[in-house]
Amino acid sequence: MSTLRSAAALALAACLLTGCSNSTGTGSGDGGSAAGGDYQIWDPYPQFDDSSDWVKLLTKCGTDAGVTVKRTGYDTTDLTNKALLAAQQGNSPDVLIVDNPVVSTLADAGVLTTADELKVDTSAVEPNLLAAGQIGGKTYGIPIGANTLALYYNKKILDAAEVDPTAIKDWASLTSALEKVKASGKKGITFSAIGTEEGSFQFLPWFWGAGANLTQLDSPQGVASLELWNGWLKNGYAPNSVLNNTQTTSWQEFAAGDFAFSENGTWQLANAKKTGFEYGIIPIPSQAGGTAPAPTGGEFVTAPVQSETARYAVTEKLIACLTSADNALTTDTTLSYIAATEAVQQKQVAANSELTVWVEAVKAAKGRTSDDLGTKYPKISQPLWTAFQAALSGSASPADALKTAQTTAAAATK
């Protein structure tokens, strides 16, 4: 999914965290015992009703485990709020599916149990994806799948500008391509640099692609990444509208047919087919070459703490069912996700070769809360988006903007 959900969840989670104490939940459901009865599953997919493949899968997993699944779908913001409140009141659901940056907030608040306690096998999950659910050396959930960012391109525009997209391997070759596109009379690249989590989400591939680290925003590598974006605006390769663009409005600019490139996500694949022009997709390049680490989106299956720990045996069966290779292929196709395991990724590519570039991007991707940042991430992301907004609007140089951001982030994460 796009980071619209991530942004709302992060903002709410940051506000709620200070009021959350460790949960000692009393179990959930309508009176079911550990051996059977009702098991509650909450997810962030209110768009799916009982006739959907997703809800049918939940029901089947419950039946296979010998229990009845009671499923509730919430908007992500509501889900985070309700999960924290339920933990305080001791009536958490048995299974909770949440956007990946929220896992660290819930774990830090004592809401979630660990994969070890549940005896959930996570060995097949790609380590870079699993990292978003790991805090302090413990794993608190399993990714259903992931989405991330890459560069869509308009083939007609690149052909006219005599640009070979397969030759774009680093920042220099990408910037050279943008220069040729502008010289041909077309527009270069559109992206989202809005002052929200969406903007940070889109900046991170360039930031990480320079070798920068979120614990030191004003490093030379960090400054280089912001200078790249800044240079694109100054040279007319990217429009000033990026300052206010969401990922949706940025996509709309690309879909109009005048831009050569759009930085956007897996979730736009269906829309790409509706543009009316021939398109392609390449990974976002790192500064020195290779695929840049882009941030991961997507949800994790987690298990809130229950006082009746005997329930965990059934919970483990439900989680194993939801994340099994057989079910993951259907689920990830439904959600436009790349699978979290290599075996299922191979099945996805075999079924749709267009997903090859996305599998490559996901393999190089990185969780925003990885590197044990956990709940520190939102306190770093906000100064970061403030910095690139300042630089792109011309109110500060990239170096000065990131220096201010680092001072702010360091004080907030002490």
Side-chain angles (χ1 to χ4, degrees), residues 1-14 17 76 80 97-108 112 129 131-135 143 145 147 197 201 204 208 295-300 302 337 366-370 373-378 381:
M1 78 180 57
S2 73
T3 67
L4 282 169
R5 289 203 271 194
S6 300
L10 285 168
L12 178 62
L17 180 58
T76 293
T80 307
I97 301 169
V98 293
D99 199 18
N100 73 82
V102 181
V103 175
S104 60
T105 295
L106 297 179
D108 191 68
L112 305 178
L129 301 181
Q134 294 175 322
I135 301 96
N147 55 36
E197 177 58 25
F201 190 81
L204 282 174
W208 283 334
T296 55
E299 284 78 39
F300 271 61
T302 68
Y337 285 165
K366 185 175 180 178
R368 284 161 281 174
T369 59
S370 297
L373 286 179
T375 56
K376 292 181 180 179
Y377 173 73
S381 178

Side-chain angles (χ1 to χ4, degrees), residues 31-58:
S33 70
D38 295 346
Y39 274 67
Q40 299 283 342
I41 297 181
W42 294 358
D43 67 49
Y45 312 129
Q47 70 271 31
F48 295 133
D49 61 22
D50 290 348
S51 67
S52 66
D53 289 341
W54 169 248
V55 178
K56 288 178 181 176
L57 173 61
L58 297 181

Side-chain angles (χ1 to χ4, degrees), residues 180-220:
K180 291 178 181 178
V181 168
K182 183 185 177 186
S184 73
K186 292 294 185 178
K187 300 176 183 178
I189 186 169
T190 178
F191 51 89
S192 171
I194 195 170
T196 68
E197 177 58 25
E198 278 193 88
S200 290
F201 190 81
Q202 291 236 319
F203 183 60
L204 282 174
W206 313 100
F207 184 82
W208 283 334
N213 191 295
L214 286 170
T215 58
Q216 193 62 49
L217 299 179
D218 60 347
S219 67

Side-chain angles (χ1 to χ4, degrees), residues 91-181:
N91 58 1
S92 293
D94 295 281
V95 176
L96 178 64
I97 301 169
V98 293
D99 199 18
N100 73 82
V102 181
V103 175
S104 60
T105 295
L106 297 179
D108 191 68
V111 173
L112 305 178
T113 189
T114 66
D116 284 344
E117 186 171 359
L118 282 176
K119 298 181 175 57
V120 171
D121 182 9
T122 62
S123 59
V125 181
E126 294 289 312
N128 66 314
L129 301 181
L130 191 63
Q134 294 175 322
I135 301 96
K138 297 180 179 180
T139 299
Y140 289 91
I142 302 179
I144 288 180
N147 55 36
T148 192
L149 298 166
L151 295 179
Y152 290 83
Y153 65 82
N154 184 317
K155 187 176 185 301
K156 183 178 179 180
I157 291 177
L158 293 192
D159 286 348
E162 298 183 350
V163 170
D164 177 5
T166 64
I168 297 173
K169 302 294 186 182
D170 53 24
W171 288 3
S173 55
L174 176 57
T175 300
S176 175
L178 296 176
E179 183 179 6
K180 291 178 181 178
V181 168

Side-chain angles (χ1 to χ4, degrees), residues 28 39 41-42 60 82 141 144 150 218 227-228 249 260 275 302 311 314 322 342 348 355 372 374 387:
S28 62
Y39 274 67
I41 297 181
W42 294 358
K60 179 182 183 300
K82 290 181 184 300
I144 288 180
D218 60 347
E227 286 177 340
L228 178 72
T249 57
T275 59
T302 68
R311 296 181 69 86
V314 171
L322 292 174
E342 185 174 5
Q348 289 182 300
L355 295 179
D372 227 24

